[in-house]
Amino acid sequence: MTNTERPARTRFAPSPTGYVHIGSMRTVIFEWLWARHTGGQFVLRIEDTDRNRYVEGAEDQLKESIRRMGLMWDEGPDVGGPFAPYKQSERLDLYHRHADELLAKGHLYKCWCTPERLKQVNEEKQARKEPPGYDRHCRNLSPEERAELEASGKQYVIRLAVPLEGETIVNDLIRGPITFQNALQNDMVMLKSDGFPTYHFAVVVDDHEMQITHAMRADEWIATSPLHVMLYQFFGWEQPVWVHLPNVLGADGKKLSKRHGDTAITDYLDKGYLPEALLNFLALIGWGYDETTEIMTRDELIERFTLDRISPSGGVLNLEKLNKFNGIYIRQLSTAELTERLLPYLADAGLVGAEPSAAERARIEELVPLIQERLVVLSEAPDLLRLVFTAPDSYDHALLIPKKLDASTTQQALHAATAALRELPSWEVAVIEARLRSLTEELGLKVGDLFMALRVAATGSKVSPPLFETMHALGREETLTRLERAIASLGAVGTAA
Ligand code: GLU
């Protein structure tokens, strides 16, 4: 067994600063798949140490988003685990203990510089056209100066004493070794004056403490990853496997952002993209099993997901492909299951009650096959089904009257159809269709013309679920009532003219 095949411990470590971006959900999917593939654990850790960026409710929203995708963490908030707590704000003692260790070894140092001084240093650097960054003033204090500041009780932060020479290599699994010059790194803050660690310090301590084997994360973290590697080296800890994931890009090849449209995973779920379709679709952004296989079940993805197939370059979020996937997954659902998933949308649109009755459910189940073939997202269902549910209030004659006919010839044709339908021995789809087809010939009309007039008469719209199925679902009485109303509406035109 190679190292990467041992049960992996992966983690998603979001800062609760807002909604879950679809690109972050792709990260979750890769982490979850890798944990499942290797028979390991997927950990959720809340990185809430930046109190200024903390957004109330964001933590619940992100947990909800992951749950709605049908993914669950094995350890983390709500479910606990051997390394609890899984929220960084509840682990402050741990960071302080570890900071003390590195302070004693001289790898961290206290810095009493005020924000005003730091600002001035940066302004001066800017004037000299030097990159911004701390000038290491407090790293170079004399023992007396340091003792004096210690005694003063002034606020301080704790910084990383970056080695001044040499280089740090980040061995990224996807990109290979990446070399960073230490002289270009900053003495970043590790513990802030409020006693909270910064992300850089907490992520290293926690990944180590929680025995994370693979640090999988967005590739924007590559730039600061040498600081993390230095911390592992200072502590003498084994590093996790670094896996920086390719970006999710918009159609223009730029990193996906609000400019491109929806970016929150909940926007997609709310529209009625199925979690299983999104899972399959997102798994293929930056990863692939082979050149051709696209549709894969969750179990197939787990079985096939390996890190060596992650590509270093970004993958484009192709909405057309997502629509195609969603359609495929919708058609795979049983009628009962699709009904179940549609009910919340129909309830929102007021087509069924918030707690649909058994009769409502049965009625929807009867109608669902009418739209299953053409549904792209679940949220389209109310508009498609409304035609069936509610009789048209009025008729647009421009739609009702076929191009080659006029009001009175349309009226006659609809009359003939009504009479023919009334006499049918049964109300089966095939029987309705056969009779209306033969009627077209009897009347000397074009199939398209008569059927369009019937479609508009039955539903009020030129776009509707298949005509004969719709008539069947409406039932004979309702169909005839609607046709008669359409005829009556044409009569009014005739009289007016
Ligand atoms: N808290 C970081 C974020 O929100 C996590 C980065 C990481 O996974 O190391 O992006």
Side-chain angles (χ1 to χ4, degrees):
M1 234 187 212
T2 66
N3 180 39
T4 49
E5 283 166 348
R6 287 204 313 252
R9 287 180 56 80
T10 60
R11 87 302 194 270
F12 181 54
S15 304
T17 54
Y19 64 87
V20 181
H21 189 279
I22 192 156
S24 306
M25 188 51 74
R26 200 283 316 266
T27 300
V28 172
I29 291 170
F30 281 13
E31 290 161 343
W32 183 87
L33 284 173
W34 184 234
R36 286 288 168 279
H37 176 82
T38 58
Q41 293 86 34
F42 170 57
V43 178
L44 176 64
R45 183 175 69 228
I46 306 296
E47 302 208 325
D48 58 346
T49 59
D50 191 344
R51 305 318 277 174
N52 298 326
R53 291 176 64 224
Y54 186 82
V55 175
E56 202 56 48
E59 183 185 331
D60 286 340
Q61 208 193 351
L62 75 90
K63 289 191 283 194
E64 181 62 12
S65 298
I66 303 172
R67 283 199 189 101
R68 282 181 69 186
M69 282 295 294
L71 307 174
M72 194 52 205
W73 49 100
D74 305 304
E75 294 169 26
D78 304 344
V79 300
F83 303 101
Y86 290 89
K87 216 180 195 182
Q88 290 187 328
S89 59
E90 295 169 10
R91 301 167 62 80
L92 298 185
D93 278 357
L94 183 78
Y95 310 125
H96 288 215
R97 265 193 282 124
H98 283 96
D100 287 346
E101 181 188 331
L102 290 195
L103 271 172
K105 289 187 185 160
H107 294 306
L108 299 183
Y109 65 93
K110 292 183 184 175
C111 166
W112 286 269
C113 290
T114 59
E116 294 72 36
R117 178 172 187 279
L118 297 177
K119 190 164 166 245
Q120 193 192 339
V121 168
N122 271 334
E123 280 167 4
E124 287 168 11
K125 284 196 166 199
Q126 207 176 5
R128 291 197 300 271
K129 300 212 169 356
E130 287 175 18
Y134 182 53
D135 65 355
R136 300 188 165 126
H137 174 79
C138 290
R139 184 164 168 178
N140 302 314
L141 293 173
S142 67
E144 296 74 32
E145 288 170 317
R146 186 163 292 128
E148 197 178 313
L149 283 162
E150 288 274 12
S152 72
K154 281 192 185 141
Q155 282 208 329
Y156 61 86
V157 298
I158 294 179
R159 291 184 181 271
L160 182 65
V162 167
L164 301 175
E165 292 171 350
E167 46 189 40
T168 298
I169 297 171
V170 178
N171 277 306
D172 184 77
L173 192 76
I174 314 288
R175 282 153 223 273
I178 311 171
T179 304
F180 295 84
Q181 296 305 316
N182 292 341
L184 299 178
Q185 303 302 317
N186 230 313
D187 283 4
M188 297 276 257
V189 174
M190 297 288 115
L191 272 160
K192 295 175 280 186
S193 54
D194 63 2
F196 277 74
T198 56
Y199 155 70
H200 304 292
F201 194 67
V203 76
V204 168
V205 170
D206 283 342
D207 280 350
H208 169 73
E209 287 286 321
M210 296 181 179
Q211 298 176 12
I212 298 303
T213 60
H214 293 73
M216 300 170 70
R217 59 186 178 191
D219 66 3
E220 70 200 55
W221 295 109
I222 288 182
T224 45
S225 59
L227 301 176
H228 306 165
V229 169
M230 286 174 197
L231 283 169
Y232 278 97
Q233 288 167 346
F234 293 156
F235 279 118
W237 293 338
E238 192 189 335
Q239 295 175 47
V241 178
W242 300 105
V243 191
H244 289 97
L245 303 174
N247 275 319
V248 176
L249 309 173
D252 56 1
K254 303 228 169 77
K255 198 172 164 195
L256 191 74
S257 73
K258 277 271 178 220
R259 274 182 305 116
H260 297 101
D262 290 331
T263 49
I265 189 71
T266 42
D267 291 337
Y268 290 86
L269 290 164
D270 292 347
K271 276 195 181 144
Y273 287 99
L274 307 185
E276 54 270 53
L278 279 165
L279 177 77
N280 189 165
F281 170 76
L282 288 174
L284 294 177
I285 298 186
W287 177 84
Y289 176 57
D290 56 24
E291 295 299 308
T292 50
T293 314
E294 288 202 315
I295 300 298
M296 284 176 265
T297 63
R298 163 191 295 242
D299 285 346
E300 283 165 345
L301 286 168
I302 292 174
E303 157 98 33
R304 295 170 184 175
F305 186 81
T306 52
L307 301 179
D308 56 329
R309 291 181 194 275
I310 296 177
S311 97
S313 50
V316 172
L317 185 136
N318 175 343
L319 213 57
E320 261 171 54
K321 182 167 162 183
L322 174 58
N323 286 339
K324 185 183 96 182
F325 274 41
N326 209 48
I328 293 173
Y329 276 90
I330 284 179
R331 290 184 246 313
Q332 282 176 1
L333 295 178
S334 68
T335 310
E337 216 173 324
L338 182 54
T339 303
E340 207 50 50
R341 300 212 202 189
L342 289 176
L343 285 173
Y345 292 90
L346 301 175
D348 272 355
L351 296 180
V352 297
E355 309 262 322
S357 66
E360 282 177 319
R361 202 176 285 261
R363 172 99 175 107
I364 301 297
E365 224 175 294
E366 196 186 3
L367 299 177
V368 156
L370 295 187
I371 59 169
Q372 187 157 15
E373 279 305 310
R374 59 177 61 195
L375 214 49
V376 177
V377 289
L378 301 181
S379 57
E380 292 171 342
D383 278 345
L384 288 172
L385 288 182
R386 190 174 281 115
L387 306 171
V388 185
F389 257 90
T390 34
D393 303 332
S394 60
Y395 288 98
D396 179 350
H397 289 161
L399 300 182
L400 186 61
I401 302 172
K403 287 237 156 47
K404 303 227 175 63
L405 304 187
D406 59 18
S408 90
T409 43
T410 305
Q411 204 173 32
Q412 284 161 22
L414 290 175
H415 248 309
T418 310
L421 292 173
R422 187 168 284 123
E423 279 157 22
L424 281 186
S426 84
W427 198 246
E428 293 310 312
V429 174
V431 176
I432 302 172
E433 175 167 2
R435 181 64 192 100
L436 290 177
R437 280 192 190 280
S438 63
L439 182 70
T440 326
E441 275 173 40
E442 289 160 29
L443 297 176
L445 289 174
K446 281 223 173 85
V447 170
D449 285 344
L450 179 67
F451 289 3
M452 186 53 80
L454 284 167
R455 183 189 299 280
V456 176
T459 66
S461 168
K462 273 173 106 158
V463 259
S464 78
L467 178 60
F468 313 114
E469 279 89 342
T470 304
M471 288 182 160
H472 172 76
L474 282 173
R476 190 188 320 236
E477 280 318 305
E478 179 65 18
T479 305
L480 294 179
T481 308
R482 291 185 185 188
L483 296 193
E484 274 156 9
R485 286 185 55 201
I487 293 167
S489 85
L490 287 166
V493 163
T495 345

